[in-house]
Amino acid sequence: MQPDDRRLTVAVQAAQDGDEAAFRTVYRAVHPRLLGYVRTLVSEADVEDVTSEAWLQITRDLARFSGDADRFRGWAARIARNRALDHIRMRGRRPAIGGDESELADTPATSDTAGEALEALGTGRTMQLISRLPQDQAEAVVLRVVVGLDAKSAAEVLGKRPGAVRTAAHRGLRKLAELIGDPQRAGDHLPEQQRPGDVADSRLRGVTESAARTQKDM
């Protein structure tokens, strides 16, 4: 277990005992990740409301949670996803699912390099690019890379097999690499100051490098 995960595990346990400072630690560690995930599910105008609803349930059910930091992130992500889907149903809309899920389930990737792109995917402009991915790829990339779940935990959130999640995340990272590597294509419909062709944004270039390594591993 990584030091950050150990600290989060301890904070979750303390929060379950009513430690408000510990709960704030948990919130600061997990909230930005949940926001990133919810952005793949609902419109930007609804992200804060849906994420707040998720935290209300997390707070209410925290005493019943059992597990370490990774399980907590997965548990929180499932709650956020359920709240987002409830919101979509209430609005009478469905998320746009891209690709054939049966195809993904039958062709799992042999490599697992989502963690390599964690820091590279930390920018707001990259989240805008993620929103342009097919829904299954966007969710897989964000759960693996932003929320920080392993393939098994991400699969539990999505109700899929781990191999399908690995493949969707792999394809999503490759697609991001293509968008980032082609400024004209990636910049369509984005404000000028958010065009990914900005050479100063070295963290975005890291996604291209990570995805290139991924392709060699396949």
Side-chain angles (χ1 to χ4, degrees):
M1 185 181 295
Q2 298 298 315
D4 286 347
D5 279 358
R6 284 196 293 268
R7 285 193 289 270
L8 180 56
T9 297
V10 170
V12 169
Q13 292 169 349
Q16 289 179 299
D17 292 332
D19 187 326
E20 294 184 4
F23 183 83
R24 287 194 293 271
T25 297
V26 173
Y27 181 86
R28 286 194 297 267
V30 177
H31 181 64
R33 299 169 185 258
L34 286 188
L35 278 177
Y37 180 43
V38 173
R39 279 193 173 93
T40 69
L41 297 167
V42 301
S43 67
E44 184 63 31
D46 297 324
V47 169
E48 292 284 353
D49 287 344
V50 171
T51 308
S52 294
E53 291 173 8
W55 276 109
L56 286 174
Q57 183 175 344
I58 290 168
T59 302
R60 186 188 68 215
D61 296 344
L62 183 59
R64 296 200 294 269
F65 170 76
S66 177
D68 59 10
D70 189 63
R71 289 187 64 84
F72 180 81
R73 284 191 293 264
W75 179 70
R78 283 196 298 276
I79 289 174
R81 189 173 199 267
N82 288 337
R83 297 289 70 75
L85 295 180
D86 286 346
H87 178 82
I88 290 167
R89 282 191 287 268
M90 288 177 61
R91 294 292 183 92
R93 293 180 288 107
R94 295 177 180 271
I97 303 298
D100 182 350
E101 292 184 18
S102 64
E103 175 191 0
L104 292 176
D106 292 335
T107 56
T110 57
S111 59
D112 181 11
T113 61
E116 298 174 12
L118 176 59
E119 186 174 353
L121 289 179
T123 64
R125 73 176 65 176
T126 309
M127 291 304 298
Q128 291 187 21
L129 295 182
I130 289 175
S131 71
R132 299 181 61 182
L133 297 175
Q135 184 71 27
D136 60 330
Q137 295 178 16
E139 286 196 67
V141 167
V142 173
L143 284 173
R144 297 298 321 282
V145 180
V146 177
V147 180
L149 303 183
D150 60 23
K152 181 179 179 181
S153 298
E156 290 174 355
V157 172
L158 298 173
K160 297 181 180 180
R161 295 195 295 185
V165 174
R166 290 191 188 95
T167 299
H170 176 77
R171 291 179 176 177
L173 288 172
R174 287 202 309 183
K175 183 65 174 178
L176 282 175
E178 293 173 6
L179 291 173
I180 293 167
D182 186 344
Q184 180 63 39
R185 192 171 163 203
D188 287 346
H189 311 302
L190 293 180
E192 186 65 34
Q193 66 272 23
Q194 295 181 332
R195 296 292 170 88
D198 183 358
V199 295
D201 194 347
S202 59
R203 291 199 295 173
L204 286 179
R205 291 198 297 271
V207 178
T208 307
E209 295 166 0
S210 295
R213 287 194 295 271
T214 301
Q215 292 179 37
K216 293 179 181 178
D217 292 337
M218 286 198 67

